Amino acid sequence: MAKFLIKGGRALEGEIKINGSKNAALPVLASSILFSALGGPASGWKNIIEIENLPNIEDTKRMKELLDKLDADGKIDYEIAKKFRASILPVGGALARFGKVSFPHPGGCVIGERPIDVFLDGWKAMGAKTKLSENVPTDYVITAPEGLFGVDYTFKIPSVTGTEALIMTAVLARGTTILRNAVLEPEIKYLADFLNANGAKIAGAGTTTIKIEGRSGELLKYSARFTAPPDRIEAGSFAILGALLGKNLRIKNFVAEELPTFLALLSNVGAEYIIENKDLIFINSYKKTLRASNVITKEFPGFPTDLQAPFTVLLTQADGQSLVHETVFEGRLNYIQDLNKMGSRITLCDPHRAIIYGPAKLFGRTMESPDIRAGLAFIIAALIAEGESTIENIYQIDRGYENIDYRLCSIGADIKRV
Ligand code: UD1
């Protein structure tokens, strides 16, 4: 099993570019199921949409494998679906297209319970019948004997992939769907704009009420490609590295409008940066003293939960007492025990809240990456620590960040993949 050996303490200098967004690319890949074949019926929906700037990461590879294996029987591959949560994204399209779909409870990052009730409620409201498989009790079988129809549906909790999945389902349903209490994450608008450019009629994406005119089963015809935007979570993670270790570090393709609360917090802790067009620049932040600050994770435009672990690492270097309040997931502070073994002083108050006492000197050690985002947080911790760290289970990191070792080495980090 591959692992990273990381030597800490080096300044980061030069230029690093933010690659294509995982969370924008995955729903667009999944939406290919809504399209008619270019090469005749046999080619189905497979490989017919073009995506520029697609990140070459494990999760996009899994999504392509999942779609390649999916046929008109609507069976989502069990093994692949267990590897990532976004495997639920093609389910609604498959249901609308084939009238039936079966799939396991999706896998992915272990950061809380992660139920799928919101998806199931939505499909049921649109006329689907859901049951657990008799053979494997964690598998779902959903059918739509009368087809799916448009509904006025209110999400009981805001869900990113839930909103995306129901938009895609509604595109092929009969009649108009209204989704209320939809999330505002930029990925929703990217998906809707792509589908609209290819013939769908989706209004209101980027607001809490989205209206979709269903096509009664008529498939979309591909005409306009998707260009994946820069990954805003990678952007925020690189900015944290810049605030801790940057010396004339230029982060390219930084879309500041997609990280408003994050940037406000970064200023609040005393990080100094310049925004020049689409570049974020740190002139001399190397080992500069930072100030403690409180962080509450929230849906967009709030502070993204996906940047909570990397930001907690930054707060270990801030002077004073910080509170991190994770409101989105209930199991997303588990990585803290490993950080404390590196020398941080963090008290876990309950599954949602942690108090960080800083600044603390960190020392290299061996850790196992628990999930995508905490894995990157461990890389950041290792880069600021004294001595050498080993990070195991780096498949989790490769799921979300393309060639991260190679790219960070290009700005001066010392990371070996062995
Ligand atoms: C997406 C992102 C992930 C990010 C998260 C929150 C993708 C591929 N993943 O995940 O990187 O961390 O948004 O910004 O875009 N919930 C339920 N029932 C459901 C669905 C969700 O209770 O049916 C709960 C979840 O357990 C969680 C909360 O709702 O507590 C928000 O989760 P959600 O927005 O659905 O996250 P994902 O879409 O899985």
Side-chain angles (χ1 to χ4, degrees):
M1 293 274 261
K3 52 188 169 188
F4 287 147
L5 301 183
I6 303 180
K7 284 202 186 108
R10 294 182 166 215
L12 301 179
E13 324 181 40
E15 278 186 15
I16 188 162
K17 180 174 123 327
I18 298 156
N19 284 5
S21 162
K22 166 176 102 64
N23 288 354
L26 287 171
V28 168
L29 273 169
S31 79
S32 61
I33 204 164
L34 308 176
F35 286 79
S36 66
L38 285 181
S43 67
W45 64 91
K46 293 168 188 174
N47 306 321
I48 59 158
I49 64 169
E50 289 175 289
I51 303 184
E52 293 252 328
N53 201 31
L54 179 71
N56 188 16
I57 51 177
E58 295 300 331
D59 272 17
T60 54
K61 289 181 202 162
R62 293 301 87 73
M63 182 63 90
K64 285 195 267 183
E65 288 165 12
L66 188 94
L67 293 165
D68 276 347
K69 284 204 164 175
L70 180 56
D71 281 315
D73 58 5
K75 195 171 177 337
I76 304 266
D77 187 273
Y78 188 97
E79 291 300 319
I80 305 173
K82 280 292 183 192
K83 293 201 164 111
F84 66 132
R85 168 87 179 176
S87 62
I88 198 163
L89 282 169
V91 168
L95 174 66
R97 181 163 182 163
F98 307 126
K100 61 179 174 182
V101 64
S102 60
F103 61 103
H105 193 89
C109 294
V110 186
I111 50 179
E113 202 186 331
R114 306 194 89 178
I116 59 164
D117 50 326
V118 160
F119 300 76
L120 299 176
D121 287 352
W123 291 321
K124 269 189 229 162
M126 295 172 96
K129 302 216 174 329
T130 307
K131 60 172 182 151
L132 284 175
S133 158
E134 280 151 22
N135 307 327
V136 189
T138 53
D139 280 14
Y140 302 88
V141 181
I142 310 186
T143 52
E146 317 288 326
L148 293 166
F149 46 83
V151 280
D152 190 328
Y153 180 75
T154 302
F155 289 98
K156 64 183 175 195
I157 47 159
S159 166
V160 178
T161 46
T163 302
E164 291 161 353
L166 292 195
I167 288 176
M168 289 191 263
T169 315
V171 165
L172 293 189
R174 203 166 57 237
T176 301
T177 294
I178 298 176
L179 300 176
R180 300 182 196 272
N181 196 21
V183 295
L184 309 179
E185 264 69 3
E187 291 76 22
I188 304 297
K189 187 152 180 354
Y190 287 123
L191 173 67
D193 287 349
F194 167 70
L195 294 175
N196 283 343
N198 286 286
K201 291 207 171 105
I202 303 163
T207 74
T208 53
T209 305
I210 302 177
K211 190 172 165 194
I212 304 118
E213 281 179 36
R215 299 167 60 86
S216 304
E218 191 197 331
L219 298 169
L220 296 172
K221 289 192 177 43
Y222 176 72
S223 61
R225 71 173 60 173
F226 180 68
T227 301
D231 191 303
R232 64 194 174 94
I233 303 305
E234 185 170 288
S237 307
F238 289 176
I240 289 167
L241 272 172
L244 291 165
L245 296 170
K247 250 190 194 170
N248 288 324
L249 179 70
R250 185 177 281 262
I251 301 169
K252 299 193 76 71
N253 284 353
F254 195 95
V255 184
E257 310 85 77
E258 294 188 354
L259 287 169
T261 312
F262 168 80
L263 283 176
L265 257 295
L266 202 61
S267 299
N268 205 43
V269 297
E272 284 173 12
Y273 55 84
I274 302 165
I275 298 179
E276 210 177 79
N277 300 320
K278 292 266 178 267
D279 292 354
L280 187 75
I281 303 159
F282 293 86
I283 306 284
N284 195 2
S285 300
Y286 183 66
K287 294 195 174 169
K288 187 171 170 269
T289 307
L290 299 167
R291 287 191 297 270
S293 188
N294 296 341
V295 180
I296 302 178
T297 65
K298 276 274 180 212
E299 298 78 34
F300 191 85
F303 189 97
T305 170
D306 285 350
L307 286 172
Q308 178 261 108
F311 206 80
T312 299
V313 174
L314 176 132
L315 291 173
T316 66
Q317 303 309 300
D319 190 22
Q321 185 179 315
S322 304
L323 171 76
V324 169
H325 189 170
E326 168 61 57
T327 69
V328 181
F329 292 104
E330 64 277 8
R332 219 171 197 184
L333 295 172
N334 296 339
Y335 66 90
I336 277 173
Q337 48 194 1
D338 281 292
L339 277 190
N340 278 347
K341 286 182 191 153
M342 292 181 84
S344 68
R345 286 174 288 130
I346 308 177
T347 304
L348 196 57
C349 311
D350 59 45
H352 287 278
R353 288 173 308 149
I355 297 174
I356 299 133
Y357 304 91
K361 195 165 174 53
L362 302 189
F363 297 92
R365 68 179 295 275
T366 299
M367 294 163 284
E368 193 173 313
S369 173
D371 61 76
I372 306 181
R373 311 306 180 185
L376 197 85
F378 285 170
I379 293 185
I380 298 174
L383 288 173
I384 57 175
E386 189 178 301
E388 187 168 285
S389 298
T390 303
I391 301 183
E392 294 170 342
N393 195 24
I394 59 172
Y395 174 79
Q396 287 300 327
I397 301 174
D398 291 334
R399 284 183 51 204
Y401 305 95
E402 184 174 340
N403 272 331
I404 193 71
D405 44 332
Y406 176 80
R407 291 162 65 214
L408 291 178
C409 285
S410 76
I411 52 169
D414 185 338
I415 307 180
K416 285 192 186 66
R417 182 184 286 258
V418 293

